[in-house]
Each structure stands twice: as structure tokens, then as C-alpha cells.
Amino acid sequence: MRKLDQKLLQIGYMLFVFVSVMSLSSWNLYFAKIINFNTTMIIFVLASLVLVSVISDWTITRIAAVIVFSGLLLVYFQLYRSSYILPVLLSLIVGTGFHVKTVLKCDFYSRLVSVILVVVLSLFSILPKSGYGADLTDFHFTIFCYGFTYANILAFEIAVLFVESLLVFKSKMGYQFLLVIIVTIVEIQLGYETGAVFCIVGYFVYYTTRQSSTKMTKIYLTAATLFVPIFTFISVYIAKMYSSTDTLWNSINDLLSGRAEIWQYYYQAMPIKPWGNLQTINQKTMGVVGFGAFDGAFIQFLLTFGVISILLLFFLLFLVTISKREIKNKRILAVLILPIVLSGFTETNGFLVTFSPFYMLISANLFSVAQEVSLESTPGTLTVSEEVK
């Protein structure tokens, strides 16, 4: 039974990643009538994984975590019905039935195959390779890039895959250093400097913790935890104090690619509340500052889903930092979490379940008692290794 539930979870997780990547592509703009990879499908797949994970091993800690996440899920569902906070909470529940290394390997192989599929579909003109697509989406920034609706989406996926590859493959440091240079150049060519920083930071954390350093790993996780309230405070301060008539603030706004003005716009329209704002801005309305873009995970979560969402992020990362779990697993989290948190100041991608295994990894590290399921060198081959004590 234990082997069966882990195999089903593995297959289900791979399906979830595939659906997630396809939802970020331009597929729904052309083939939605055939199959629509939308939020409803993502939630359905995650809910199915929750049911499968029920047959995994349970502890008091895992039961308590699931009760808390389920309670938050019910509250947010009552408030918002369909929203990207629901997949976040579902991912935290599902993660309690996984092992950290299982999530990492499943995510890497399924994400790699899914991204390559989208790119190949664009090369065969099934999906658009390039071109302006705002007339189809009513969103100003829709510019197709190898099957995806925006270059930053593909660039972020590449960044996540690069960092995951460092952890999945044990190649020589020389090859890894060459790879980080190549990927960084690709990120810059795609116009996504945040992705370049993501890759460099991920490689740096990986390199400095390669000897399973408990001290360095804890330092990085502590930094990521502290960055949550720090970046939230800075974002709110900028939103509150920004002045378009001040030269210094205009320079800061330029440095942040116009985000200071955008943050102020949303801050004034959506005041800070414990559970967020039921009334949000229609981002497709003409005249919206920034053409409806709202980047910056911390201020976006704060204004949209309230103080509770930020406290949840902080508390989860704090628990990861102080947990006594296996150092190798905590190192995996450090390598992925610190770049995601750093990029979250100006971006939102890493904090959405469709872009990274952020929540799955955190939940698996904190609450899972499942056996470790490994993927052999050939993707798709499933084996069960010794139980994690």
C-alpha cells in the first residue's frame, strides 16, 4: 500500500506540473475547446492528489498541519471562491504526503518535459513562436515567446529548471559553472534580469552548501525567513511614500521598472486588511496603472489575501529554519527558496504553484512521514528506497 500511494502521488504530481506549465502557455488561447488548462483543472488535480495522499502515513504533526491548512482553505474559498490562494493551500496539504527528494525529482523531470513540449509545439507553429498577442488576451504584456504568453514565463521556468538540475544531477563543478554562465546569458537575452540573479544566487547557495554545511544552510534559510517581513515592509513603504514629483522617488521607480507607481496605485485602491480585499481591480480595464501588471509577491499577497497570507509565509519559512529535519533536505530547500524569496520582491512567479514547487517542498520537509520515492536515471522508472526516519 505504501509503495502504491507514493507511485500514485508521483504520477499525479507529474500531471499537475504538466497542467501548470500548459496553463502558462498560449494553448488556452487556441485550443481551449479541446482541453482547457485553467485554474479549475489545477484545483481539481490538486484536490485529487489530496485524496490520494490520505493513504500515506500520518502523525499528530501532519494531522494538525492538514487541519490548519484546510481551515484556511475553507475561509479563503468562502471569501474568494476561485483564486490562486486556493492552489497554494491545496499544495501545502498535498505536500504532507510527499518526501522532499520525490518532489524535487518529479518536478524537475515533468517540468523539463512540459516546457520542451511547449517550445516544440511553437517551433512547429502549433503554438505561436513570437508576436504581440494582446488582442487575444486583452492584457498589454502578452508577447508570445516560444509558445508561452510572455518571455518572463519561459525565462523563470528555465531558471527553476537550472537550479533543480544542480540538485538532481551530481556533475562536476566545472560543468555546473559553465552551465550557470550559459543560463545567465539566456536569461539576459530573454530580457529577464531577475532570472539571471535567480540562477546566480541559486548556484552560489548550492556551491557554498555542497558539503552539507548545517551552518550555511541555516544562514540562508534564516535570511529567506527574515526577508519576508523586510520586503513586505519596504514594499508598503514605497507604495505609501512614492511621489511622482520627487526626483529621488522617480529614480527609485525607474530602478524598479515602474513598480513604485503600480504598488501605490494598488495600495490606495486595496487597503491592508487581515483577510485581504474582496473588491479587486479589474486588471484589463483601460487606464489601469501599469496596464494591469501587479508584480511583487509580498505586497500583492498582502493587499490581495491580507496579513494572514504574509504571516503564513513567514511562519512556514520560520518552521523550516528551526526544524530538525535531515540537513540534505533542508539544503534542497535553501537552494530553491532563497532565490524565490529574493525574486519575490519585484516578481510574483515563484510564489504561484504553477511556477515552482515552493509550497510542496516546504510542506514535505515539515510534515511528511512518507517513504522516499526515487526516480532512477530513466525518468518514469519508480522505485522505493528506505523509509526516512
Side-chain angles (χ1 to χ4, degrees), residues 140-357:
H140 175 76
F141 295 103
T142 303
I143 303 174
F144 298 124
C145 180
Y146 293 101
F148 292 93
T149 54
Y150 189 36
N152 286 8
I153 295 176
L154 175 59
F156 193 88
E157 294 285 2
I158 292 173
V160 170
L161 285 169
F162 163 71
V163 175
E164 288 181 333
S165 71
L166 296 176
L167 298 163
V168 172
F169 300 111
K170 296 180 179 179
S171 54
K172 294 182 179 180
M173 296 305 297
Y175 293 120
Q176 292 175 340
F177 183 71
L178 177 61
L179 183 59
V180 72
I181 294 175
I182 294 172
V183 174
T184 300
I185 293 174
V186 170
E187 295 289 327
I188 294 173
Q189 289 296 313
L190 289 171
Y192 194 54
E193 290 77 10
T194 301
V197 175
F198 186 107
C199 294
I200 293 171
V201 171
Y203 177 76
F204 181 79
V205 175
Y206 173 83
Y207 181 81
T208 54
T209 59
R210 66 191 187 283
Q211 300 300 326
S212 297
S213 170
T214 302
K215 181 179 179 181
M216 292 305 299
T217 299
K218 188 171 183 178
I219 287 174
Y220 293 134
L221 289 173
T222 301
T225 303
L226 294 176
F227 279 141
V228 173
I230 291 172
F231 284 154
T232 302
F233 174 80
I234 293 174
S235 301
V236 172
Y237 180 81
I238 291 174
K240 186 176 181 179
M241 302 303 295
Y242 169 72
S243 174
S244 59
T245 60
D246 185 275
T247 303
L248 176 60
W249 276 114
N250 279 324
S251 298
I252 294 174
N253 189 44
D254 291 338
L255 182 65
L256 295 173
S257 301
R259 286 177 175 83
E261 183 181 11
I262 295 171
W263 290 350
Q264 185 175 78
Y265 179 79
Y266 281 88
Y267 176 76
Q268 293 174 346
M270 300 164 59
I272 299 173
K273 296 179 181 179
W275 294 96
N277 289 274
L278 294 176
Q279 294 297 117
T280 57
I281 294 171
N282 185 345
Q283 294 178 308
K284 296 182 180 180
T285 302
M286 293 296 295
V288 172
V289 173
F291 298 99
F294 187 14
D295 290 321
F298 302 104
I299 190 167
Q300 185 185 121
F301 269 63
L302 176 66
L303 299 184
T304 307
F305 303 117
V307 177
I308 299 299
S309 65
I310 295 298
L311 288 177
L312 178 63
L313 284 173
F314 174 77
F315 189 62
L316 287 171
L317 292 181
F318 175 74
L319 288 179
V320 168
T321 303
I322 66 172
S323 69
K324 303 298 182 181
R325 293 292 179 129
E326 186 180 352
I327 186 60
K328 291 182 179 180
N329 290 340
K330 293 183 71 172
R331 182 201 181 208
I332 291 172
L333 268 70
V335 173
L336 274 162
I337 284 178
L338 186 58
I340 288 174
V341 170
L342 287 173
S343 66
F345 177 63
T346 56
E347 303 288 344
T348 312
N349 295 349
F351 288 86
L352 305 178
V353 299
T354 49
F355 282 90
S356 78

